[in-house]
Amino acid sequence: MADAVVDFVKQKFEDALKGPVKDALLKEGQFLYGVNDNAEVVQRELGRIKSFLKDADSKSSSEERVRNWIKEVRSVAYSIEDAVDNFQADVDSINYKEPGFFNALKRLVKKPTLLWAMHNFGNELQAIQERLKEIQKARIEFGVNNLNDGSSGKSRPPIRLLIPTNNDEMEVIGFESDKERIIGRLIHDENSRRSVVSIVGPGGIGKTTLAQTVYNSVKDRFEIHIYLSVSQEVNLIDLLKKMYEKLQPDNQRDHRELTEDNLIREIHASMKEKKYLVFLDDVWSEYIWDQLKMVCPDDKNGSRVLLTSRFVNVAKAADPKPYELRYLNEEQSVQLLLNKAFSWKDSNESYHQDLLELAKEYAKKCGGGLPLQLVELGKLLSTKSRDYQTWHRLMRSIDWVTDGKNCFDIIATSYEHLPPHLKSCFMSFSVFPENYEINAQSLISYWSVEGFIPQERRSTMYDKAQGYLDDLAERCMIQVTERNTTTGNIERCRVHTLLRIVAVHEAREKNFITVFWKQEDNQKEAARHASFHLYTPEMQNNFTENKDVTEYAGPNVRSLMFFGKILPIRSRMKLLKVLVVYHTSVTFYEGKHTWLENLISLRHLEFRECTLENDTLPESISCLHHLEYLDLTDTKIVDLPKSMKCNEALKLVVNRVESSS
C-alpha cells in the first residue's frame, strides 16, 4: 500500500519538472548549480524504489525492519514533495507579473532571490539523493525484490468490471420474510396512530438495503414520503432544513434564516392532516429521534416512520419491538457472494464446481454472515479472472481473522487492489464527514489543485477526473447519488461508512490526511492535508478558541477543510493550496489586515453555506494571484471585489449557478 504515496509524489515531481519549475531551471538552475541533473537523478531513483514496494508491503506484516524501510521511503517521498512545493511557491511568488514599470523593476530586484531559491532547491535534492542511496542499500540487506521481474511480468487476462444496476444494489438476500413483515406493519397494520418501525443491527448487516427496498415498495401509498440520512456526525438543524426543502421545494423563502424552533413549526404545519412516511436512516442517538418526532404529527391517519440504527437503545426509544436483523446462514452467504461475483443469478450449475467450493470456503472464512462483508468480497472477485488459481491466490493473500476486524480487512482488501492513482483519490474522501454528500465539481477541482490528476489541459483533466470517479463507482468504492441527465457525469456521491473508515485509516497511517474532531487527534508529525469536523459544541470545545490552526495541523499543510467552525489562520501558510469552509460564520479582519493575505499560494477556495463578514469578500482576496476556483454556494455574496474581475482563469460557482468572473 506504500506505493500510493510514492506514486503520487513521483507523478507530482514529474509534473513539476514539466511546468514552471522546469522553466526556472532552464533559465538559471542547470547552468549555475546543476539542479536539473540532481532532479533527474532523484526522479530516476524514486522510480526504481517504487518498483520494489509491492514486495516490501507483502513482507511488512511480519518484519519490523521492512516496515521501517517503508516508512523511510514514505518520508523521503514527502521530503521530495516539500522541496518541490517550496521551490514552486518561491518561483510563483517571484515571477508573478503585476502590470506597470515599477513592478517590472521589483521583479528585477528579486532576481538574486530566485537564484538563492534555486541554490536551496539544489542542496535539498542533493541531500535527498544521499538518502535514496541509503534506502537502496537497506533494500538489498532486507531482501526486498522487484515484483515486476520474472513471472509476475507476464500478461494477464483483462479484468472484468461488474457495473451494478439499481436492482442489483437493492437486492435482499436472507431477509425476504423480514421485508414482508415490515411492509405489513407499515401499510396493513390496523393501528391508525402514528407508529415507528425500527430495524436494528451492526454496521454492514443490511439495514439500509432492507429499509430502502421496503421504502421504495410502499412510499407511493403515502401523501408525503421523505428520506433522511442521519449518520453519526449529525447536525439537527441541517436535518430540519433538508426536511423543509423536501416539503416546500418551490418555496422561495430563505430557509437559512429560519431558527430551529421556526423550522419545527413550519415542518409540523406542512405535515399536519397528511398521511406521511418518513425514513430516518442510520440514527445514532435517542436525542435525534426525540427532536424529530416533534415535527411528525399524530393525526390518527396511519402515518408511519421507518428508522434504522446500529444501537438497540436508539431503536427501542422509537419502537419498543424493533426488528433485530440476524446474520446470514451459510447457504444465504454463498448465494449472496456468488450473486455479486457473477453478473447472472442462476442455479449452482451455472458456476464451475471448483469455484462453488471455493465460494463456500470464502463464506466460512468470512464468518458471521455479515452481508456487507460478503458483498465487498463478491465485488472484489467480480474484478478477477474466473479460475480456481486466481480465486485461491486471493484467498491466501487475505489476512483472515476472527476477532471482529475481518469485515474491515475485506473492505481494506478492495482498497489494496486499487491502482495507485485511485488509492490517492480514494484516501481524499476521508476529508469529508461521515455520510456527507460530495459535490463532484468541487472534488475534481480539489484533486486537480493537489496533483491527484496528471497535469493537462483543464478540460482534459476534468474528463480524466470523471473517469476516476466512474472507476471508483464501478469498483463500488463510492455510491453515486446524482448524475447529469444529459452527459451522464457524476454530480454528487458519497462513501459508505465502513469504506470511509478504511479511507481515514489509510490516510492517517501514511500521514497523508489527518481528520481532527477531538483533541487526541494531534499527532507527532505535521499533517499534509487536514480536515476539522467541528459540527457539535462538544467537538468545537476540544479546540482552543484563539489557538492558530498551524498549532494543530503544522505550517506546511497543503489543504485545510473546516466543517461547522473555522479555526484562526494567523500564520503565513506558504504551501496551502486548498481552503474549504462549510456551514459556519467567517470573519476576515484582525485589525487592518485579513488572514487571506497569509495564503499566497491558494488556488481553491470554498465558502459553502457560510455567513461571511458584512456579506462581502474583502478586497485583500485579490492578493490570491493564483486562485483558480471560488465556490460561494449558499452565501449572500452577489458580487466580487473589482480587483478580482480581471482574473480570467477563475472558475466561479455562486448559489449553484456556474459563472465566469
Side-chain angles (χ1 to χ4, degrees):
M1 292 182 285
D3 58 328
V5 169
V6 175
D7 191 80
F8 165 71
V9 173
K10 182 175 179 290
Q11 183 63 58
K12 189 171 180 179
F13 190 43
E14 291 171 356
D15 287 343
L17 294 180
K18 296 174 187 174
V21 172
K22 178 184 178 183
D23 294 338
L25 294 176
L26 288 175
K27 288 178 182 177
E28 308 286 351
Q30 65 176 340
F31 299 113
L32 295 175
Y33 306 110
V35 177
N36 202 44
D37 292 337
N38 287 335
E40 289 179 357
V41 171
V42 168
Q43 183 179 353
R44 184 170 60 251
E45 288 299 309
L46 192 62
R48 288 180 61 193
I49 288 174
K50 179 180 176 292
S51 66
F52 296 98
L53 281 172
K54 286 185 179 180
D55 184 48
D57 267 332
S58 67
K59 296 179 177 179
S60 63
S61 60
S62 59
E63 296 189 38
E64 178 69 24
R65 58 182 186 171
V66 176
R67 287 198 293 274
N68 291 333
W69 183 81
I70 291 174
K71 287 181 181 178
E72 181 60 23
V73 171
R74 192 180 302 138
S75 174
V76 78
Y78 284 145
S79 295
I80 294 169
E81 185 185 25
D82 288 343
V84 171
D85 285 350
N86 274 293
F87 181 55
Q88 189 159 1
D90 289 337
V91 171
D92 288 344
S93 175
I94 294 166
N95 286 349
Y96 176 69
K97 295 182 180 180
E98 291 184 275
F101 174 73
F102 288 106
N103 289 318
L105 285 178
K106 282 183 188 177
R107 291 195 297 275
L108 189 61
V109 171
K110 286 181 177 179
K111 184 116 177 168
T113 307
L114 176 60
L115 299 181
W116 181 251
M118 290 178 183
H119 178 71
N120 286 337
F121 184 47
N123 287 341
E124 288 177 341
L125 290 180
Q126 246 179 342
I128 288 168
Q129 270 187 257
E130 294 304 313
R131 290 178 65 187
L132 287 171
K133 289 178 183 176
E134 293 300 317
I135 286 173
Q136 288 285 23
K137 289 179 183 177
R139 175 190 65 75
I140 297 170
E141 179 184 342
F142 298 158
V144 177
N145 299 311
N146 187 345
L147 287 186
N148 291 331
D149 293 338
S151 60
S152 62
K154 295 178 182 178
S155 60
R156 298 178 180 179
I159 293 176
R160 178 182 64 86
L161 288 176
L162 173 61
I163 304 176
T165 64
N166 288 334
N167 290 335
D168 182 63
E169 284 299 307
M170 299 309 300
E171 180 181 23
V172 176
I173 290 180
F175 301 134
E176 293 84 355
S177 59
D178 298 286
K179 173 185 171 183
E180 295 306 317
R181 284 197 294 269
I182 292 170
I183 288 176
R185 281 188 60 182
L186 290 174
I187 62 175
H188 300 310
D189 196 327
E190 294 181 359
N191 180 14
S192 62
R193 300 291 300 268
R194 178 202 70 194
S195 62
V196 181
V197 179
S198 293
I199 304 173
V200 66
I205 193 71
K207 302 182 297 296
T208 296
T209 300
L210 174 60
Q212 187 76 61
T213 305
V214 169
Y215 176 78
N216 289 338
S217 299
V218 304
K219 64 182 181 181
D220 292 335
R221 298 184 180 226
F222 297 82
E223 292 177 72
I224 295 173
H225 49 83
I226 299 173
Y227 164 73
L228 288 175
S229 179
V230 182
S231 81
Q232 181 183 16
E233 296 175 8
V234 68
N235 184 306
L236 177 61
I237 198 164
D238 280 350
L239 289 174
L240 293 172
K241 286 177 180 178
K242 287 177 182 177
M243 286 190 76
Y244 183 82
E245 287 175 350
K246 292 177 180 181
L247 289 166
Q248 303 285 349
D250 300 322
N251 194 326
Q252 298 301 311
R253 182 176 178 184
D254 189 354
H255 63 272
R256 289 172 294 135
E257 296 179 354
L258 291 172
T259 65
E260 185 176 303
D261 289 339
N262 286 338
L263 282 166
I264 289 174
R265 282 195 295 271
E266 292 274 353
I267 294 168
H268 188 277
S270 298
M271 298 173 68
K272 188 71 176 169
E273 305 297 336
K274 294 184 175 66
K275 185 178 180 180
Y276 59 81
L277 173 63
V278 176
F279 175 19
L280 302 175
D281 188 32
D282 198 20
V283 180
W284 280 64
S285 71
E286 295 179 49
Y287 168 77
I288 291 299
W289 167 242
D290 288 339
Q291 298 302 307
L292 288 179
K293 71 182 179 183
M294 292 191 295
V295 306
C296 300
D298 185 2
D299 295 314
K300 299 181 181 179
N301 58 4
S303 292
R304 298 289 184 258
V305 176
L306 180 61
L307 180 150
T308 70
S309 178
R310 60 187 72 189
F311 301 105
V312 174
N313 65 309
V314 175
K316 286 187 174 180
D319 174 15
K321 296 181 179 180
Y323 278 92
E324 295 192 34
L325 293 190
R326 64 193 181 282
Y327 291 96
L328 302 180
N329 60 34
E330 181 180 341
E331 182 180 349
Q332 293 166 338
S333 296
V334 172
Q335 182 188 353
L336 179 58
L337 178 67
L338 290 175
N339 282 2
K340 295 301 177 182
F342 292 79
S343 57
W344 61 80
K345 301 172 183 177
D346 295 333
S347 63
N348 291 346
E349 285 76 22
S350 298
Y351 310 104
H352 293 296
Q353 187 62 31
D354 55 354
L355 291 187
L356 179 60
E357 293 304 315
L358 270 181
K360 291 178 181 179
E361 286 190 48
Y362 270 116
K364 288 179 182 178
K365 286 183 175 292
C366 281
L370 190 65
L372 179 63
Q373 188 177 13
L374 294 158
V375 166
E376 291 302 321
L377 179 57
K379 289 172 181 175
L380 176 61
L381 288 169
S382 76
T383 69
K384 305 298 178 185
S385 299
R386 299 177 187 175
D387 60 80
Y388 181 90
Q389 289 76 15
T390 300
W391 280 32
H392 192 258
R393 186 165 55 248
L394 178 64
M395 180 183 289
R396 292 201 313 272
S397 72
I398 295 175
D399 182 17
W400 302 95
V401 292
T402 57
D403 59 358
K405 295 188 299 181
N406 47 346
C407 185
F408 178 88
D409 290 341
I410 292 297
I411 297 172
T413 301
S414 296
Y415 165 80
E416 290 170 17
H417 283 74
L418 292 174
H421 68 279
L422 287 184
K423 286 181 180 177
S424 301
C425 291
F426 179 72
M427 283 192 289
S428 75
F429 284 99
S430 66
V431 301
F432 299 101
E434 181 183 349
N435 217 26
Y436 191 85
E437 191 169 54
I438 301 159
N439 179 281
Q441 179 177 271
S442 170
L443 179 68
I444 288 171
S445 172
Y446 168 51
W447 284 355
S448 172
V449 167
E450 288 298 342
F452 296 158
I453 311 169
Q455 286 185 1
E456 295 178 36
R457 298 190 314 276
R458 178 182 283 188
S459 59
T460 307
M461 291 178 73
Y462 181 84
D463 292 340
K464 182 167 284 189
Q466 274 289 340
Y468 287 4
L469 282 173
D470 282 329
D471 203 349
L472 287 168
E474 289 171 1
R475 294 169 183 267
C476 303
M477 301 299 286
I478 63 172
Q479 299 170 332
V480 178
T481 58
E482 183 180 338
R483 284 187 183 270
N484 186 293
T485 54
T486 303
T487 64
N489 285 340
I490 295 172
E491 293 195 341
R492 295 182 183 278
C493 61
R494 61 164 53 99
V495 181
H496 189 280
T497 300
L498 291 179
L499 285 164
R500 179 180 173 273
I501 290 173
V502 173
V504 171
H505 172 81
E506 292 298 328
R508 189 177 183 88
E509 184 76 13
K510 296 171 176 58
N511 195 33
F512 193 60
I513 296 169
T514 304
V515 178
F516 296 87
W517 63 277
K518 58 184 184 297
Q519 192 71 34
E520 303 89 83
D521 288 327
N522 287 342
Q523 55 186 43
K524 295 179 181 179
E525 296 180 87
R528 309 190 77 77
H529 307 273
S531 183
F532 291 81
H533 297 179
L534 309 176
Y535 270 126
T536 66
E538 292 76 16
M539 292 175 179
Q540 294 172 7
N541 291 337
N542 287 326
F543 297 86
T544 307
E545 185 73 27
N546 295 317
K547 200 171 182 180
D548 191 84
V549 67
T550 57
E551 296 189 47
Y552 296 106
N556 294 325
V557 67
R558 271 71 172 172
S559 64
L560 276 176
M561 295 195 180
F562 297 98
F563 295 86
K565 179 183 179 180
I566 184 171
L567 298 180
I569 303 175
R570 299 191 185 95
S571 303
R572 188 170 184 265
M573 304 187 76
K574 179 180 176 182
L575 302 182
L576 188 71
K577 293 182 179 180
V578 174
L579 175 64
V580 175
V581 185
Y582 283 66
H583 195 75
T584 188
S585 298
V586 179
T587 57
F588 295 105
Y589 287 91
E590 289 197 4
K592 295 181 180 180
H593 299 281
T594 72
W595 50 263
L596 286 172
E597 297 168 47
N598 296 323
L599 314 180
I600 59 173
S601 298
L602 202 68
R603 285 166 164 77
H604 176 115
L605 177 61
E606 289 188 48
F607 295 113
R608 279 179 166 256
E609 301 178 29
C610 289
T611 302
L612 303 183
E613 185 177 6
N614 300 323
D615 291 328
T616 59
L617 291 171
E619 287 288 339
S620 60
I621 197 171
S622 62
C623 296
L624 306 178
H625 303 310
H626 307 291
L627 194 64
E628 299 172 3
Y629 183 91
L630 176 62
D631 192 332
L632 302 171
T633 298
D634 285 339
T635 67
K636 293 183 178 180
I637 300 295
V638 295
D639 201 6
L640 296 179
K642 293 180 181 178
S643 54
M644 287 194 71
K645 293 184 178 179
C646 60
N647 186 351
E648 296 178 357
L650 180 64
K651 176 75 172 178
L652 177 64
V653 181
V654 181
N655 294 327
R656 297 193 178 92
V657 178
E658 296 181 25
S659 58
S660 174
S661 64

